[in-house]
Amino acid sequence: MKRFLLYLMGIIAILILGFVIFVMVTWSKKHDAPYPDVKASTDSAVIARGKYLVYGPAHCADCHGDISRLEELKKGAIIPLSGGFEMPIDPGVFRPRNLTPDIETGIGKLTDGEVARVMRHSVGADGRVIVPFMPFQNMSDDDLTAVISFLRSQPPVKNKIEPSAYNFLGKAVLATGLIKPEGPKGTPPKSIKIDTTKEYGSYIANSVANCVGCHTNRDLKTGAFIGEPFAGGFLMPADAMTKGFSFISPNLTPHKETGRLSEWNENAFVARFKLGRIHETSPMPWDAFSRLDEVEIRAVYRYLNSIPPVEKKVPKTVFAPGEPLPE
């Protein structure tokens, strides 16, 4: 019996060692993806649309903005997209990069196609996987062009950002393909009509503002969706930015008993967005969303009221430091 146990332990040790070697050898594998045919424009209207997306519905500045000037951003300032924010989650520490056109530390050395490939296919210029925090895979060609055009128009800021650092868990999920490049679903539209329809609301909620990303339950280790779309229940644990508070996203489906939308008519929904931030450390990018034009807000409201209702009760969304979290 003792010999058998030693034999079994030896096999387990070999399997563990083999897996560790596999992870360390393969986690940084390179990926390929097409380069979108996107060219930055100098047209002022195109750049203005890009600026609106970056500081409004796409809320790029919330992660890529100058970390020392976030209080200014909350008050409506246009701060440089020079980076500095760190996001510690289960797979490692993620550091959004400098998006100004600085040659050495920003995107100045990247082509328009390389920037567009990151946004649409989650593949970096060097072939590495870009963890798909950004939901822009199905952004229209025109809006993709607008964002890149605005990024090119900024003053360059020299600010070196260290690469994101994966721990062993992060390297393991990369090696096993649990985190992999995410591309568009179908063919992204060439352009999108800006109006108050549910179709435009779907575009904003799913392909620009990433409402679906936080209001759908997810596995924090892999980022995989594990809940019904927009039904909430996604736990965002306390971190350095939330001053110890934890949050759970509410149900945004039109379920009459458990959906948050049952509390608001369309005008109240618009008013809530325009009000901006109430809880100081809420992970909802209220500061950016308060800049939205009413057309976007009304479109999102109409879209959310058109999706299937899901019965999912989220009785509490804010948890104070030390307060027990639901199982």
Side-chain angles (χ1 to χ4, degrees), residues 200-241:
Y200 184 56
S202 173
Y203 172 74
I204 293 295
N206 291 288
S207 301
V208 180
N210 200 26
C211 309
V212 68
C214 288
H215 288 277
T216 305
N217 199 10
R218 307 180 77 162
D219 182 338
L220 277 174
K221 294 179 175 62
T222 66
F225 290 100
I226 55 176
E228 292 293 325
F230 296 99
F234 177 42
L235 170 63
M236 289 162 274
D239 59 31
M241 299 296 290

Side-chain angles (χ1 to χ4, degrees), residues 25-262:
V25 168
T26 64
W27 76 270
S28 59
K29 56 190 171 186
K30 305 301 181 184
H31 301 269
D32 195 18
Y35 295 93
D37 185 17
V38 170
K39 304 293 182 187
S41 170
T42 57
D43 184 278
S44 60
V46 174
I47 292 172
R49 171 68 176 174
K51 180 179 179 180
Y52 170 71
L53 291 169
V54 164
Y55 290 96
H59 56 278
C60 309
D62 282 52
C63 290
H64 291 277
D66 180 343
I67 190 68
S68 69
R69 299 179 62 182
L70 291 185
E71 288 303 315
E72 295 176 50
L73 179 68
K74 291 178 181 179
K75 296 175 182 177
I78 301 301
I79 66 173
L81 301 177
S82 53
F85 178 69
E86 288 193 349
M87 186 186 303
I89 59 175
D90 287 354
V93 178
F94 295 89
R95 302 182 178 99
R97 69 174 300 165
N98 180 348
L99 294 186
T100 74
D102 183 65
I103 296 293
E104 294 179 24
T105 65
I107 62 170
K109 60 181 174 293
L110 302 180
T111 67
D112 294 338
E114 286 172 333
V115 177
R117 186 170 77 158
V118 169
M119 296 176 67
R120 184 160 282 174
H121 296 282
S122 310
V123 175
D126 59 358
R128 75 192 187 285
V129 61
I130 304 297
V131 178
F133 292 116
M134 301 180 292
F136 306 134
Q137 290 80 16
N138 282 83
M139 181 178 276
S140 72
D141 290 347
D142 285 353
D143 279 350
L144 196 62
T145 299
V147 169
I148 294 173
S149 300
F150 170 70
L151 296 180
R152 296 294 191 206
S153 75
Q154 301 174 92
V157 177
K158 191 175 297 297
N159 186 34
K160 184 178 180 180
I161 303 297
E162 292 299 320
S164 295
Y166 293 95
N167 55 30
F168 183 76
L169 172 63
K171 292 175 180 178
V173 294
L174 285 170
T176 56
L178 293 174
I179 293 179
K180 57 187 177 181
E182 192 172 305
K185 298 175 177 65
T187 303
K190 172 68 175 65
S191 60
I192 192 81
K193 184 179 180 182
I194 301 173
D195 56 22
T196 57
T197 61
K198 64 182 182 182
E199 289 77 18
Y200 184 56
S202 173
Y203 172 74
I204 293 295
N206 291 288
S207 301
V208 180
N210 200 26
C211 309
V212 68
C214 288
H215 288 277
T216 305
N217 199 10
R218 307 180 77 162
D219 182 338
L220 277 174
K221 294 179 175 62
T222 66
F225 290 100
I226 55 176
E228 292 293 325
F230 296 99
F234 177 42
L235 170 63
M236 289 162 274
D239 59 31
M241 299 296 290
T242 66
K243 298 183 178 180
F245 283 86
S246 299
F247 298 85
I248 296 180
S249 59
N251 181 350
L252 293 187
T253 73
H255 191 272
K256 292 184 178 180
E257 285 79 37
T258 64
R260 179 63 61 89
L261 286 186
S262 63

